[in-house]
Amino acid sequence: MLHYAQEQLQGDYYTRAFQAGAQEDTLILNMGPQHPSTHGVLRIILELHGEYILRAEPVLGYVHRMQEKMGEVKTYPQYLPNMGRVDYLHALAWNWAYVLAVEELLQLEVPERAEYIRVITCELNRITSHLLWWGAYLLDLGAFTPIMYGFADRERAMDLLQIITGSRLTYCYYSFGGVTADLTPQFIDGTKEFCKYLRTRLPMYKDLVTDNMILRHRVDDIGIIPVDMARRYGVTGPNLRGSGVEHDLRRNTPYSIYDRFDFEIPAYEECDALARYLVRMDEMEESLSIIEQAIDSLPEGPVTPPKMPKVIKPPKGEAYGAVEGARGVIGIHVISDGTATPYRIKLRSPSFSNLSLFAEVSEGILLADAVSILGSLDLVIPEIDR
Amino acid sequence: MKQSWVDELNAAGAPKCTEVQKGVACFCLEPENLLPSVRKILDLEYYLQDVSAADFQEGYLLTYHFAHFEEPGQAVFRVLISHEEPQIPSISSMYEGAIWHEQECNDFYGIVFTDHPDLKPLLLVPEENLYPLRKDTQSQKSFLDIFPGCKLVEAPPAPEGEESSGDQETAGEETPKKKGTGKAKARKGDDETAQEPGQA
């Protein structure tokens, strides 16, 4: 017979605190930190009555790396590689938010060609992020085939990004004032081909999955996020556009050269998991359209500013770099004290705010629907924990 | 941010500290004005982007970033609280999204948010109080040095009333600067004496 110490039976700090408020005849269940549907190490403590969730509490911090402290002990360029590791799925958007903030502090002008390259690569990265979400979400819901299709197509885009960035996942490609390497003809031809190819695949995805009745039953009318709730929790990105709000920083506060392109902001009014699903599927098409327009009008010229200071020492002040990532508004608040090291760096990650509403949205729903809601929020755990 | 909204926030006790540039308006608040101003910004349908803190000579600076779903730009609230009594009302009764942000500030700096529903550790180990982002006195910089446009917390309320009633922006901008720097010197002395016993 196994013997446990009394402490072990009581669980850890969070379980003990959670158990204190439990009702009679309910079951306390730990979902995670090693659960397939939490995509990493997210843990959710649930109080269940039968199959219904009475109370849920996400427990964070399993991959916490104190990125903000790292920012205070490294110089500005030394901190650049960290940005690829905050959100491994849309790393270039984090790259961009950071260089945007530092460029604002330094008053740096970015050459036009570099802006176009940033748009092309960031949108390509957004497509890879959405493709992985698509496959993984359907895997959570019990469909195995889509993740194979999603990964195969994502692989093509990642091969393209590898040509110019040199890495496959944790990109560190943007530099202050530009990008580290120019596009190659191989990349441009390959990207044009990829856009054509993916346009033939997306209708197939729709026939195969989106119109599938089994999927519809799992996502239709599940996880309603009203606009008011989204506002109180700071939900952004496709999750917000699934609640009918056409808020997209690429349109609302056009940074870089996004005002030059013609693209739609997909939004659906239903506020449920299906709406969030459809927003992302539509967004891939819009990203393809932006990439094609950018490649067609790609100007010649340098990709780095003509004069760069040897040591990056921004003047005293602050800057907030905000870009639209695949999961929502990425914000990096940099406070500079005039030295080569940032005084304070605050990372605003969209998944952090998007997950914080889970406790409210999961009250009284079925446990199986909780998996559907978590997947529809498109969480990246390292981004939440930072 | 619309000028009429800026005026409404001024009336709610939030004097503007920097010019509205690219739609970003920054407000320096007294701790007691935080809740009315946040109520106002919620009525204006802003959403919460983040709550963050930073450690300065004068105290902890709390920064609240808000943005709007339709309007471009940001509204920024800054509140300075002292090192000796790091306390501020929680805004989580209006913005539930702030619950985690405030827990994070408590993890990193030990700032206490009063009326917070559950101020327990979020990202760091619950058994220890590490406060990793607190700075020692040598590496602390002056808040007014980096943000010259902002006033300090202890600024007397009388001129602030004049400022919000008289809409002269230039006059409003100059007075807090002078007042602020004078206050900063006085506060520095306070800080040094007060922090020594804390460190020992």
Side-chain angles (χ1 to χ4, degrees):
Chain A
M1 204 178 133
L2 288 168
H3 291 280
Y4 293 100
Q6 192 61 30
E7 284 174 11
Q8 283 173 300
L9 288 173
Q10 283 169 346
D12 74 337
Y13 173 88
Y14 292 98
T15 315
R16 286 200 297 274
F18 191 79
Q19 271 172 336
Q23 300 174 20
E24 267 186 43
D25 286 339
T26 55
L27 177 72
I28 307 272
L29 186 74
N30 272 299
M31 184 166 143
Q34 291 291 338
H35 190 276
S37 82
T38 54
H39 299 277
V41 278
L42 169 68
R43 169 178 162 206
I44 295 168
I45 315 179
L46 301 161
E47 186 183 351
L48 296 172
H49 185 267
E51 272 200 82
Y52 288 90
I53 296 173
L54 297 177
R55 212 152 50 97
E57 184 190 305
V59 179
L60 313 180
Y62 287 91
V63 278
H64 178 57
R65 292 155 290 171
M66 206 67 233
Q67 297 271 11
E68 292 177 11
K69 180 72 184 172
M70 280 192 243
E72 290 179 14
V73 294
K74 291 180 173 193
T75 63
Y76 284 89
Q78 278 175 343
Y79 193 55
L80 263 171
N82 277 55
M83 290 296 98
R85 283 147 182 88
V86 180
D87 172 359
Y88 55 89
L89 288 184
H90 201 186
L92 284 176
W94 279 89
N95 272 226
W96 204 342
Y98 180 53
V99 296
L100 202 66
V102 177
E103 278 158 12
E104 193 187 319
L105 280 171
L106 288 168
Q107 303 281 324
L108 260 183
E109 280 281 323
V110 183
E112 207 180 3
R113 186 176 170 88
E115 294 275 27
Y116 274 84
I117 295 174
R118 284 182 182 183
V119 169
I120 295 167
T121 49
C122 186
E123 292 305 319
L124 203 56
N125 202 186
R126 189 189 310 275
I127 292 173
T128 63
S129 170
H130 281 352
L131 279 175
L132 184 101
W133 159 81
W134 180 74
Y137 183 35
L138 290 158
L139 190 66
D140 290 350
L141 297 179
F144 188 73
T145 319
I147 197 163
M148 296 296 168
Y149 285 119
F151 258 80
D153 292 348
R154 177 170 173 265
E155 206 62 25
R156 291 177 176 236
M158 279 166 66
D159 286 344
L160 290 170
L161 284 171
Q162 192 183 359
I163 298 171
I164 47 165
T165 63
S167 46
R168 293 180 63 77
L169 206 61
T170 50
Y171 307 114
C172 176
Y173 177 54
Y174 302 164
S175 59
F176 304 130
V179 292
T180 48
D182 203 348
L183 298 186
T184 60
Q186 194 192 359
F187 174 84
I188 293 173
D189 295 340
T191 308
K192 279 181 187 166
E193 214 170 282
F194 173 77
C195 290
K196 270 187 210 144
Y197 167 76
L198 199 64
R199 279 189 195 285
T200 64
R201 299 285 279 183
L202 291 176
M204 190 270 280
Y205 290 175
K206 186 173 183 298
D207 292 341
L208 180 73
V209 181
T210 311
D211 292 341
N212 186 310
M213 281 313 290
I214 304 172
L215 171 79
R216 294 272 168 157
H217 282 299
R218 292 299 304 276
V219 293
D220 202 1
D221 223 17
I222 301 292
I224 304 286
I225 303 175
V227 180
D228 173 56
M229 196 202 279
R231 183 175 297 124
R232 285 183 285 115
Y233 282 97
V235 174
T236 48
N239 296 327
L240 176 66
R241 295 192 280 278
S243 299
V245 182
E246 285 183 29
H247 176 72
D248 190 321
L249 284 192
R250 291 175 291 171
R251 178 64 52 81
N252 285 52
T253 318
Y255 52 95
S256 181
I257 48 162
Y258 273 109
D259 47 356
R260 298 188 197 173
F261 302 113
D262 178 28
F263 63 101
E264 300 286 317
I265 306 293
Y268 287 83
E269 299 275 332
E270 288 79 13
C271 308
D272 57 1
L274 178 61
R276 299 192 278 279
Y277 174 97
L278 292 172
V279 166
R280 293 196 184 90
M281 298 311 278
D282 290 0
E283 260 185 33
M284 282 196 264
E285 284 182 38
E286 297 306 323
S287 291
L288 286 178
S289 151
I290 295 172
I291 293 172
E292 283 170 344
Q293 291 173 46
I295 286 187
D296 287 344
S297 50
L298 184 68
E300 292 296 322
V303 293
T304 43
K307 264 192 177 178
M308 274 294 286
K310 280 217 174 88
V311 184
I312 306 273
K313 267 192 184 178
K316 284 173 192 168
E318 60 161 351
Y320 196 92
V323 301
E324 186 74 27
R327 271 151 285 280
V329 174
I330 295 168
I332 298 187
H333 186 208
V334 183
I335 298 177
S336 165
D337 58 353
T339 60
T341 310
Y343 189 73
R344 172 85 169 97
I345 283 194
K346 161 76 188 171
L347 310 176
R348 190 261 182 211
S349 80
S351 292
F352 185 87
S353 299
N354 293 351
L355 177 65
S356 65
L357 58 66
F358 183 75
E360 186 170 333
V361 90
S362 64
E363 259 174 55
I365 60 160
L366 280 168
L367 179 57
D369 289 344
V371 174
S372 176
I373 294 171
L374 278 177
S376 76
L377 293 175
D378 188 13
L379 305 169
V380 169
I381 312 303
E383 184 189 60
I384 299 173
D385 286 353
R386 284 158 295 143
Chain B
M1 197 175 195
K2 288 179 188 167
Q3 186 56 45
S4 60
W5 290 359
V6 174
D7 295 341
E8 279 185 52
L9 277 161
N10 281 340
K16 189 176 64 170
C17 74
T18 50
E19 285 300 302
V20 181
Q21 292 171 336
K22 290 187 206 163
V24 180
C26 183
F27 302 88
C28 280
L29 306 181
E30 314 282 321
E32 61 267 24
N33 286 337
L34 177 67
L35 291 182
S37 308
V38 172
R39 164 61 59 196
K40 193 80 224 164
I41 204 110
L42 180 65
D43 291 345
L44 295 173
E45 300 196 327
Y46 272 74
Y47 72 92
L48 178 73
Q49 281 193 316
D50 58 50
V51 180
S52 68
D55 194 355
F56 287 99
Q57 271 170 3
E58 294 88 348
Y60 296 113
L61 173 76
L62 282 152
T63 313
Y64 299 77
H65 285 108
F66 298 92
H68 200 272
F69 287 153
E70 277 103 44
E71 292 286 315
Q74 269 182 325
V76 186
F77 286 173
R78 288 207 188 102
V79 189
L80 202 62
I81 53 173
S82 70
H83 285 122
E84 297 82 49
E85 238 186 293
Q87 267 197 10
I88 185 124
S90 166
I91 64 163
S92 55
S93 57
M94 287 167 273
Y95 284 99
E96 281 90 340
I99 293 177
W100 282 10
H101 287 294
E102 290 176 348
Q103 275 176 268
E104 190 186 298
C105 290
N106 181 263
D107 268 2
F108 292 171
Y109 291 95
I111 295 167
V112 178
F113 293 85
T114 50
D115 301 322
H116 187 284
D118 195 4
L119 198 63
K120 64 185 174 204
L122 182 78
L123 295 172
L124 303 181
V125 283
E127 287 80 18
E128 284 174 80
N129 290 330
L130 298 168
Y131 308 138
L133 288 184
R134 280 188 179 176
K135 287 183 190 284
D136 53 26
T137 25
Q138 279 91 33
S139 45
Q140 277 173 354
K141 298 280 162 68
S142 166
F143 161 69
L144 279 173
D145 195 25
I146 295 174
F147 301 104
C150 284
K151 303 187 303 169
L152 277 180
V153 170
E154 284 85 0
E160 188 199 295
E162 286 168 25
E163 193 193 327
S164 55
S165 58
D167 280 337
Q168 294 289 319
E169 274 177 9
T170 44
E173 204 103 306
E174 273 171 22
T175 38
K177 254 187 215 170
K178 279 176 198 163
K179 283 228 162 63
T181 37
K183 273 275 167 191
K185 274 168 197 162
R187 287 272 306 144
K188 246 185 240 173
D190 290 352
D191 273 1
E192 275 159 24
T193 47
Q195 273 177 6
E196 271 166 50
Q199 281 182 335

